[in-house]
Amino acid sequence: MAAKDSIRTTCPRDCYDGCGIVVQRRDGRIARVLGDPDHPVSRGGLCGKCAIAYNGAWLDENRRLLRPLRRTGAKGSGAFEPVSWETALADIAGRLTAIADGPGGEAVVHAHYTGTCSIVATGFPNRFFNRLGATEVEPDTVCNNAGYVALEYVYGTAVKGFDPRTAKDASAILVWGCNPSASAPHAHRYWLPEAPGKKIVVDPVRHDTARAADLHLQPFPGSDAALAFALMHVLRREGRVDTGFLEAHALGWGELSPLLDPCTPEWGEANTGVPAADIVEAARLYGAGPSLLWIGQGLQRQPQGGNIVRAVSLLPAVTGNIGKPGAGVYYLNGKGATRGMELGSVSAAHLRRGPARSIGHMGLAGHLADPARSSAFFCWNMNVAASAPNQTALLAALAREDLFTVVVDPFMTDTARLADYVLPAASFLEFDDLAGSYFHISLGAQVKAAEPMGESLPNSEIFRRLAGAMGYDEPELQESDRAIIDRQLALALPGTSFEDLAAVGTMPVGAEAAIFFADHQFPTPSGRIEIASAAAELAGHGRLPSPMADARPAAGRLRLLTPASRWLMNSSYGNDAGIAGKLGAAQVILHPDDAEARGLVAGDQVTLRNATGSLSLRLAVAEIVPPGVALSDKSRWLDGGANVNVLNPGLESDMGRSTALHGVEVEVSKAA
Ligand SMILES: Nc1nc2c(c(=O)[nH]1)N[C@H]1C(S)=C(S)[C@@H](COP(=O)(O)OP(=O)(O)OC[C@H]3O[C@@H](n4cnc5c(=O)[nH]c(N)nc54)[C@H](O)[C@@H]3O)O[C@H]1N2
Ligand SMILES: Nc1nc2c(c(=O)[nH]1)N[C@H]1C(S)=C(S)[C@@H](COP(=O)(O)OP(=O)(O)OC[C@H]3O[C@@H](n4cnc5c(=O)[nH]c(N)nc54)[C@H](O)[C@@H]3O)O[C@H]1N2
Ligand code: SF4
Ligand SMILES: [Mo]
């Protein structure tokens, strides 16, 4: 008779939800991956994409990489031969040693991000690259760095948001530039509907969360700072400014207030497209308080994204919505800042012998195209061919025969296809780690449910072995996963063993909702909320945020938004047959007026074009986008072609060398 059992584990994807998982096994093999019915977030159901892919491509020996592969044909030809780990690591170590002895470790560039967000698999490989002195592609520059920098100016930190448990105390929840219906499916399904307060969504797209809200404001992309100033104008006019709070805990209200004078609701309507009456209603709902502000990642992916987040983030300060139940501003809840872990130690920056060297993602293609700056490229936990800007230039750089390229991934991605060596990574179902949401303040055990498929290995083990092949003798480079897990667990949940955590799956950190900044101490230079910031001024920004809105696209052009798809996790799952069926043909959505003006009808094959590139997509027509805006999901696999990042020039936003990927403009016409 088949021996059946099940274990609990935690989803480590780059996701707000951090779901609990039950893995059913038969004879020690994984039979089925399901949502944990006892988990407070997943409540028995994974999101649609994981329910398919975790039971599809992730368990499929024909999809997974099973052995190290060495290139045999021309770059990108897809011709590889399997080799042993010993051969692969000895050869890679030899190549890296020659580079370290020649141009230096900084000529090795490594890009990594969110393939898995469990703490050892995310952090440990950095130890190796720190010891080597490699150049890091600063991960957050492709995602959310502008928002980080902006919030640090205002509050001193971007990683201590409200605790979602405090929603029960809020009279309103303002969700700004985020699409939970795609990017946080369980927050959309349970957390928002169950919260008693009014829901307001600010998004150019009328997505499912916007549709379900009490009020949806639909500003033109890049106009949110103007909208925030108009809201503050109304709050002041209606006596909702908490001057006592501002005097005690903030700097710069006196400088900001005169700037609000011209920003009437009518001015707001003219600058953002949001009806003046809706601006007034939103200010009243939010101003009644206590209120929560969820700042998503979409609104800062704009050319002036830093200024936008600074402006929007003033709403809680001006209304005193900080440091009390039902109040606060959330961008991300860091695992260190809100759970006490010391994740810096997992990466061991002290192993660096020289200065830290980094570039931003917007500069990656140019850096890799230049043999004087780059001799080798490592890509792990990331699929840059699909996710990074400047796709054509990046693919050309990756085709350099003399760029020694190593990709570590569970799957043969578009990036892996261009490598000299592809190293097979074990999946999260095949090793122990710690995982946690960046929304809910909890911690989950990622529990090994099966042996790694084929000869694949967890990230940490791959880099332990590579460090050995290099002859590095620092003990940190051989530290076990379990030692790291135990140390971090003791910081977050003292007295809890990994086995204790594994038995329940996820534990909350703290029994009650945490109220951050209840002491009104802010880690800014002044210790107060800095509405006016000398640090920002010194860095070349305004002392105060500005009530600006981006100019509308020139005649004939449309603003292209490329946010998260509900059926993909970034590019992950793009190789799953079930997911491909859900995705259908790649499409772009236009407002009916824009389609008509171009003589286009739904179902047409259209070409999106700008100075950076062109892409052919199927047209859909819907009023969910305002006129002037085109919408297409991010991160499809290229499969020899291109995705939306072929149109993305890699423009940097105003802060943090960060991406302005929602600021791309295109022309749309019928495909030839
Ligand atoms: N146009 C446009 N571009 C975007 C965005 C957008 O909104 N629009 N979003 C941007 C954002 S927010 C982000 S975060 C980036 C994300 O971009 P990436 O970080 O590149 O994310 P993925 O495309 O999912 O690639 C992650 C890879 O890691 C692999 N992986 C999974 N688990 C493991 C593991 O345990 N070990 C190893 N070694 N690999 C593993 C997966 O198979 C996958 O190939 O994309 C950015 N690009
Ligand atoms: N299903 C799924 N879930 C995911 C991901 C995924 O790829 N798929 N990716 C994960 C990752 S890496 C991240 S960073 C998060 C990101 O998830 P979110 O924080 O939701 O960010 P985005 O998907 O980029 O965009 C969210 C919204 O921002 C809006 N937006 C664009 N420009 C503007 C603007 O100028 N103003 C305003 N107000 N809104 C604007 C878009 O219309 C979109 O609806 O999701 C994570 N979760
Ligand atoms: S990706 Fe997010 S929603 Fe889907 S199972 Fe994982 S944590 Fe849950
Ligand atoms: Mo991201």
Side-chain angles (χ1 to χ4, degrees):
M1 223 184 77
K4 292 183 185 174
D5 70 349
S6 65
I7 59 142
R8 291 193 156 105
T9 185
T10 308
C11 181
R13 302 277 81 79
D14 186 356
C15 178
Y16 293 93
D17 286 350
C19 291
I21 293 177
V22 168
V23 181
Q24 294 178 346
R25 297 189 291 196
R26 197 173 302 127
D27 296 327
R29 290 176 67 89
I30 297 173
R32 195 105 192 106
V33 182
L34 302 164
D36 180 352
D38 299 328
H39 191 273
V41 174
S42 44
R43 302 192 197 174
L46 301 178
C47 66
K49 60 190 179 295
C50 292
I52 294 172
Y54 288 168
N55 293 291
W58 289 64
L59 300 183
D60 183 351
E61 299 203 340
N62 297 313
R63 292 277 174 197
R64 289 277 301 279
L65 292 167
L66 304 177
R67 298 189 63 188
L69 299 175
R70 178 167 62 194
R71 171 167 76 96
T72 54
K75 277 236 164 147
S77 64
F80 294 94
E81 61 182 358
V83 293
S84 69
W85 275 104
E86 292 68 32
T87 301
L89 294 177
D91 193 16
I92 294 168
R95 297 290 294 261
L96 294 182
T97 303
I99 295 168
D101 293 345
E106 68 258 36
V108 180
V109 178
H110 78 112
H112 63 105
Y113 207 23
T114 60
T116 185
C117 295
S118 62
I119 68 163
V120 178
T122 301
F124 188 88
N126 290 314
R127 294 187 178 189
F128 175 82
F129 292 105
N130 283 330
R131 169 64 182 81
L132 179 64
T135 297
E136 182 184 36
V137 189
E138 201 185 327
D140 291 333
T141 56
V142 81
C143 177
N144 53 15
N145 211 38
Y148 277 129
V149 175
L151 287 164
E152 280 161 15
Y153 286 135
V154 181
Y155 293 100
T157 176
V159 287
K160 242 175 154 173
F162 61 72
D163 183 332
R165 287 173 287 189
T166 200
K168 65 182 188 322
D169 306 305
S171 77
I173 302 178
L174 176 50
V175 180
W176 198 316
C178 184
N179 178 9
S181 62
S183 63
H186 297 83
H188 167 76
R189 187 162 170 201
Y190 302 119
W191 181 77
L192 271 168
E194 289 171 9
K198 295 281 185 191
K199 286 90 189 182
I200 313 157
V201 169
V202 184
D203 200 299
V205 178
R206 192 161 175 80
H207 47 58
D208 286 351
T209 306
R211 207 190 312 273
D214 296 286
L215 182 62
H216 174 205
L217 309 187
Q218 211 169 357
F220 199 80
S223 70
D224 302 78
L227 182 59
F229 272 71
L231 288 168
M232 289 190 283
H233 176 102
V234 178
L235 287 165
R236 189 184 60 177
R237 191 173 77 187
E238 307 221 330
R240 292 292 183 181
V241 169
D242 189 339
T243 46
F245 178 89
L246 287 166
E247 272 165 31
H249 307 302
L251 276 187
W253 168 246
E255 290 172 72
L256 179 77
S257 186
L259 301 184
L260 302 179
D261 293 347
C263 302
T264 60
E266 294 69 30
W267 173 93
E269 177 169 340
N271 280 277
T272 68
V274 178
D278 287 354
I279 296 175
V280 173
E281 191 187 346
R284 286 182 182 151
L285 289 175
Y286 180 82
S291 297
L292 299 175
L293 171 61
W294 175 349
I295 297 185
Q297 323 235 330
L299 82 163
Q300 52 91 53
R301 294 176 183 152
Q302 291 291 353
Q304 301 297 320
N307 178 68
I308 285 169
V309 170
R310 253 179 111 190
V312 171
S313 78
L314 297 184
L315 288 169
V318 161
T319 53
N321 268 304
I322 294 281
K324 61 184 186 188
V329 50
Y330 162 79
Y331 184 57
L332 289 166
N333 279 327
K335 290 170 200 146
T338 66
R339 274 152 275 200
M341 297 200 275
E342 282 167 6
L343 297 185
S345 70
V346 183
S347 296
H350 66 273
L351 293 174
R352 262 190 226 121
R353 298 176 164 196
R357 291 179 204 272
S358 73
I359 58 170
H361 266 284
M362 305 311 108
L364 178 63
H367 200 91
L368 293 184
D370 181 0
R373 287 187 287 170
S374 54
S375 306
F377 178 55
F378 263 78
C379 183
W380 55 282
N381 274 357
M382 195 164 190
N383 180 13
V384 289
S387 54
N390 248 315
Q391 199 164 72
T392 306
L394 181 63
L395 294 180
L398 289 172
R400 252 180 69 197
E401 284 287 332
D402 62 336
L403 182 73
F404 180 64
T405 301
V406 180
V407 173
V408 187
D409 205 287
F411 299 103
M412 180 57 81
T413 62
D414 294 300
T415 311
R417 230 169 269 287
L418 288 154
D420 293 279
Y421 275 99
V422 183
L423 302 180
S427 95
F428 77 103
L429 297 167
E430 298 156 2
F431 61 97
D432 289 344
D433 210 330
L434 294 173
S437 155
Y438 44 79
F439 186 51
H440 304 285
I441 302 180
S442 58
L443 190 62
Q446 178 185 303
V447 182
K448 178 174 173 174
E451 289 304 318
M453 203 178 275
E455 294 178 15
S456 66
L457 294 171
N459 287 356
S460 53
E461 182 58 21
I462 292 172
F463 285 94
R464 276 193 288 267
R465 292 189 188 189
L466 186 55
M470 295 286 289
Y472 292 160
D473 57 8
E474 288 81 357
E476 295 92 326
L477 296 170
Q478 297 303 327
E479 192 176 14
S480 71
D481 291 2
R482 186 55 192 252
I484 298 169
I485 289 170
D486 286 348
R487 196 166 52 246
Q488 297 298 332
L489 190 54
L491 292 168
L493 296 168
T496 303
S497 70
F498 186 74
E499 286 68 27
D500 296 338
L501 186 60
V504 293
T506 294
M507 285 186 185
V509 174
E512 299 291 325
I515 306 299
F516 296 117
F517 306 118
D519 60 359
H520 300 119
Q521 301 297 309
F522 299 91
T524 55
S526 65
R528 292 162 168 247
I529 299 170
E530 298 201 349
I531 296 171
S533 163
E537 194 175 25
L538 201 66
H541 309 297
R543 211 177 129 67
L544 294 145
S546 139
M548 53 74 61
D550 286 352
R552 297 292 172 99
R557 302 191 132 232
L558 301 172
R559 189 76 161 238
L560 174 66
L561 303 181
T562 55
S565 156
R566 82 172 50 213
W567 293 110
L568 295 171
M569 169 47 70
N570 297 314
S571 77
S572 298
Y573 314 161
N575 58 340
D576 184 287
I579 294 288
K582 294 288 185 187
L583 282 170
Q587 65 166 19
V588 60
I589 302 176
L590 259 55
H591 187 274
D593 294 353
D594 286 325
E596 199 190 330
R598 288 162 180 76
L600 300 171
V601 295
D604 280 351
Q605 199 64 23
V606 295
T607 302
L608 279 64
R609 187 177 282 109
N610 62 20
T612 306
S614 70
L615 183 67
S616 175
L617 297 170
R618 179 87 51 85
L619 179 69
V621 179
E623 291 192 23
I624 64 166
V625 292
V629 172
L631 175 68
S632 185
D633 291 342
K634 68 169 159 178
S635 297
R636 292 216 170 211
W637 280 41
L638 313 184
D639 293 326
N643 71 11
V644 288
N645 279 322
V646 80
L647 298 160
N648 178 358
L651 179 72
E652 282 186 2
S653 66
D654 55 344
M655 290 182 194
R657 301 191 288 192
S658 202
T659 179
L661 59 86
H662 291 318
V664 173
E665 290 183 11
V666 292
E667 285 172 1
V668 180
S669 57
K670 196 156 182 163

